[in-house]
Amino acid sequence: MSGPECCSNPPTLNPTGGAGHVDNLAGFEAPNLRKLADKVAAAGYYVVVPDFFHGDAYNPDNSARPLPVWLKDHGADKGFEASKPLIEALKAKGVSAIGAVGFCWGAKVVVELAKNRLIQGAVLLHPSFVTLDDIKGVDIPIAVLGAEIDKMSPPELLKQFEEVLAAKPGVASYVKVFPKVSHGWSVRYNTEDAVTVKAAEEAHQDLLVWFDKHLK
């Protein structure tokens, strides 16, 4: 089950933040995530940020609806199914190579897309619910960026991911553990914490390098 780190430092939602726009393909209002989307778009990519929660993000302050209950309505399997028409919409726009990035809950969605070869490149950041068997089923380029302080995907598990992927000579892979940061650091960082901001920016750069290498 997901731990408290997944929900720490929740974003102040802002529907006008970022340089992009909201249409029927995307619409999440977390400002740090929007900044990252802008950064990836500035590197030459067509970026969409789907709101698979349909505006119903988990609220840790709502004691009447704890995380296990919320997850019943928002399982990663539902995110995976919802992503399929999104991918078709991108293809209809002429997008030929699709990369997907998953943070925490979204990493499970992305790994399912990778296992089913619906995308051409994947990046998982501080993943939740991703198992060793999931990683064994991946045969497309995949990068896994994790945190040193993470109960959901501790460094020991990421090491196992790395070993499994390294045993696949035809599959490009990259696994990296960022020191001194916690689960969720790449998008839920405190903008006043210079150490965490630096680590987040490094992860963002790693993401771009990975896609530049395997999608362009």
Side-chain angles (χ1 to χ4, degrees), residues 33-204:
L33 188 57
R34 281 183 173 239
K35 289 178 183 177
L36 176 54
D38 290 343
K39 190 182 299 186
V40 177
Y45 294 95
Y46 181 88
V47 180
V48 295
V49 184
D51 179 7
F52 291 137
F53 302 153
H54 306 289
D56 182 31
Y58 172 66
N59 179 4
D61 296 325
N62 184 0
S63 59
R65 199 180 184 206
L67 190 58
V69 175
W70 181 87
L71 283 171
K72 290 181 180 179
D73 295 326
H74 301 291
D77 57 332
K78 294 182 179 179
F80 171 61
E81 291 301 324
S83 67
K84 292 178 181 178
L86 174 60
I87 289 174
E88 291 306 313
L90 291 173
K91 289 180 179 178
K93 287 180 173 287
V95 178
S96 58
I98 299 174
V101 183
F103 306 86
C104 187
W105 176 96
K108 180 70 171 183
V109 176
V110 170
V111 85
E112 289 298 325
L113 293 172
K115 286 159 60 179
N116 287 274
R117 306 201 75 174
L118 296 177
I119 55 177
Q120 286 69 54
V123 179
L124 314 182
L125 295 100
H126 38 85
S128 295
F129 314 116
V130 176
T131 67
L132 196 57
D133 283 341
D134 286 329
I135 297 299
K136 289 178 180 178
V138 174
D139 62 357
I140 67 164
I142 182 170
V144 184
L145 308 179
E148 180 182 24
I149 308 165
D150 191 343
K151 294 179 181 178
M152 294 302 302
S153 292
E156 303 80 45
L157 179 60
L158 297 186
K159 180 64 176 178
Q160 294 179 38
F161 288 178
E162 185 175 31
E163 291 172 353
V164 166
L165 291 168
K168 298 170 179 272
V171 179
S173 63
Y174 179 65
V175 178
K176 180 176 180 179
V177 176
F178 286 74
K180 301 179 182 180
V181 294
S182 302
H183 183 89
W185 98 93
S186 71
V187 284
R188 289 192 169 218
Y189 55 87
N190 180 350
T191 57
E192 303 300 319
D193 183 342
V195 173
T196 308
V197 170
K198 182 179 179 181
E201 291 177 346
E202 183 178 337
H204 301 164

